[in-house]
Amino acid sequence: MTTISICLVGCGGMGSRHVQGFARLLRSGMSNVRLVAVCDVRADNAERVAGEAEQLLGYRPKIHLRIEDAIADPEVEAFDVVTEAFSHLAVVRPALEAGKHVLCEKPLALTVRSCRALIDAAKASGAVLATAENYRRDPTNRLAKAVIDSGLLGPIHLMVQTMIGGNDRIIITPWRHFKDKGAIGLDMGAHLTDIVQYYFGDFATVFGKGFIAEPIRRRQEKPEMQTEAYIKRFLEIPEQITATGEDSFIAHYTMQSGMPVQMSYIASGPGKGWNQRTIHGRHGSLEIFNDRTGKAPILHTAEGDLTGQALADKIGFKLDALTEKLYGGVSYEMTWAETDSGLLAIEIHDFAQAIAEGRPPEVDGMGGLTAVASVLAAYESGIAGRAVTMDEVMASAISTYQDEIDADLGLLPKSNAV
């Protein structure tokens, strides 16, 4: 098996999680990568992640403190970029221009133009550009997709995706509440729209809006995870911030097939959370549970309910070898950390295989773009006061929300920004 030499760029909390993904892949016996280097502008973070890699992988990767040095390193064939979303253009584009392959965390970039700049750079150099979308890799979503494709639901009338509920706390990091940094509406929304396009293909039209549900955000009472990276970051978070970027959006999508999707993501409203991912057809409905919980989807029909391995057997579905090795089946009981690292291992493995086999990755740059563009389409619809087509959003024919960001990124003249 060909082994791809990778440099991890970004040594914060997500960097630590990706190291766990490399380690999980190594333990599977199916690894096709070697983590040869880590890169971060903060030496303390780079040293910490290099130490974590040494403990988990049995060797210590080299450290780079500048992306230019990492790109110039002849040992590095590819990059796994997990920096903040607003830095992706500055980090990923020069790597692609140098002919280095890149796996980039979602959202791929903050605007349609910036996503296209990365796609164009990859096309020009012939490098592989992959978008790190982990939710679709979950065995439960693999089974859900197979059920949809099997025809068991009959003609499908509707998909509903709802995530509503929260509080006024800062979600993970302060930058996820600032428009120019990539706020949580886009950050989380790209996960949800990618699931929709994974299930049903291309978007056609969007009517919706984005908004700030909680304008003042306060620091969490404790870190999201009790790891060194998250604890350290928690101590650097201010007590309070004023949000400038959307933490919520509501959208009605029509897919190219004509099927409608109702989506609501509102990161606000204490007391109760509302979560629903359901698909409704003439012959029944499919209930799909939260990602990374291990709970298999349930098919509801007039004949009764079917779930788990029985549902998989009904349609002749089997997991691929790596996913089966990591999870053992279409439903599973694991810690959150084990579940998370397995999904990251799968996306890293697919990226390396794409390089080795000269094929597109499962989620390429265009897949990353459409996940971002479909969220931004809801924002643009709200500003325009009408439904928008994905064609006009993808062509940047409508881009009022994005123009200011693009001007800051140097993709538009400042005079074009509203």
Side-chain angles (χ1 to χ4, degrees):
M1 180 182 292
T2 302
T3 299
I4 305 299
S5 297
I6 294 180
C7 174
L8 173 68
V9 185
C11 296
M14 198 64 192
S16 291
R17 285 168 57 188
H18 271 242
V19 169
Q20 292 285 345
F22 280 96
R24 188 77 181 279
L25 183 56
L26 181 63
R27 293 195 299 272
S28 75
M30 299 178 66
S31 181
N32 55 357
V33 296
R34 181 173 175 83
L35 183 62
V36 298
V38 300
C39 180
D40 198 288
V41 295
R42 290 183 54 163
D44 56 342
N45 282 351
E47 291 285 353
R48 175 183 50 75
V49 167
E52 292 170 353
E54 185 173 19
Q55 288 184 330
L56 292 166
L57 303 175
Y59 63 91
R60 188 177 183 86
K62 70 181 76 171
I63 291 174
H64 293 297
L65 300 181
R66 302 192 319 144
I67 187 62
E68 296 85 356
D69 296 337
I71 292 171
D73 186 342
E75 189 179 5
V76 174
E77 299 175 75
F79 289 94
D80 179 10
V81 176
V82 300
T83 58
E84 298 93 337
F86 57 87
S87 71
H88 288 175
L89 183 64
V91 172
V92 174
R93 183 162 59 175
L96 292 169
E97 289 173 343
K100 306 279 186 167
H101 311 290
V102 177
L103 170 64
C104 181
E105 262 297 341
K106 44 66 46 196
L108 180 61
L110 299 186
T111 65
V112 169
R113 290 186 183 92
S114 53
C115 287
R116 286 205 179 276
L118 300 183
I119 294 169
D120 290 345
K123 184 177 180 180
S125 69
V128 171
L129 172 60
T131 305
E133 283 287 359
N134 56 347
Y135 284 15
R136 63 162 64 204
R137 324 280 180 167
D138 196 312
T140 61
N141 280 321
R142 297 301 203 198
L143 177 56
K145 167 67 170 169
V147 172
I148 293 165
D149 291 346
S150 74
L152 279 179
L153 292 169
I156 295 176
H157 308 309
L158 173 69
M159 176 179 175
V160 179
Q161 170 67 66
T162 300
M163 293 182 70
I164 300 175
N167 51 43
D168 64 351
R169 301 295 175 145
I170 293 169
I171 301 174
I172 308 175
T173 53
W175 66 259
R176 284 181 169 88
H177 297 284
F178 300 139
K179 176 181 176 178
D180 63 337
K181 303 298 184 185
I184 191 66
L186 177 62
D187 190 53
M188 186 63 200
H191 271 310
L192 303 180
T193 55
D194 181 67
I195 286 293
V196 174
Q197 65 183 7
Y198 172 55
Y199 289 168
F200 295 111
D202 295 335
F203 297 92
T205 63
V206 186
F207 180 73
K209 68 173 184 175
F211 57 98
I212 300 173
E214 294 286 352
I216 304 297
R217 290 277 178 172
R218 298 182 297 116
R219 189 171 71 181
Q220 298 277 357
E221 295 180 356
K222 60 182 181 179
E224 285 85 357
M225 300 182 200
Q226 292 300 313
T227 66
E228 183 178 349
Y230 280 81
I231 292 170
K232 183 177 181 180
R233 184 172 66 192
F234 174 77
L235 296 174
E236 297 174 352
I237 293 175
E239 289 289 337
Q240 180 177 299
I241 62 171
T242 300
T244 61
E246 286 71 6
D247 58 19
S248 304
F249 73 101
I250 300 169
H252 179 92
Y253 295 99
T254 302
M255 309 306 290
Q256 288 285 356
S257 65
M259 192 201 77
V261 176
Q262 296 175 356
M263 184 175 293
S264 302
Y265 175 73
I266 304 176
S268 174
K272 180 176 174 59
W274 304 88
N275 292 280
Q276 179 182 354
R277 183 179 295 164
T278 53
I279 298 165
H280 305 272
R282 182 181 298 166
H283 299 156
S285 59
L286 189 65
E287 183 178 9
I288 307 161
F289 299 93
N290 284 355
D291 308 286
R292 295 180 290 195
T293 62
K295 189 172 182 180
I298 302 175
L299 176 68
H300 302 282
T301 68
E303 289 73 37
D305 295 347
L306 204 57
T307 188
Q309 191 57 50
L311 178 55
D313 291 343
K314 173 77 173 178
I315 58 175
F317 172 72
K318 293 184 178 180
L319 294 169
D320 66 90
L322 177 58
T323 306
E324 180 70 33
K325 180 84 170 179
L326 293 172
Y327 290 92
V330 294
S331 60
Y332 54 88
E333 292 185 9
M334 294 180 178
T335 65
W336 187 92
E338 289 175 316
T339 301
D340 183 62
S341 65
L343 302 184
L344 298 177
I346 294 167
E347 70 184 21
I348 291 167
H349 183 272
D350 175 69
F351 170 56
Q353 283 299 100
I355 297 169
E357 297 171 6
R359 63 164 174 82
E362 179 175 341
V363 190
D364 59 9
M366 186 57 67
L369 165 58
T370 51
V372 167
S374 52
V375 177
L376 294 173
Y379 297 176
E380 298 291 359
S381 171
I383 293 171
R386 64 171 176 86
V388 300
T389 68
M390 281 295 289
D391 285 345
E392 60 186 336
V393 174
M394 291 283 283
S396 295
I398 179 169
S399 61
T400 302
Y401 177 86
Q402 304 163 71
D403 288 348
E404 181 180 8
I405 302 172
D406 281 330
D408 288 342
L409 292 171
L411 299 174
L412 279 180
K414 288 284 187 180
S415 58
N416 287 34
V418 176

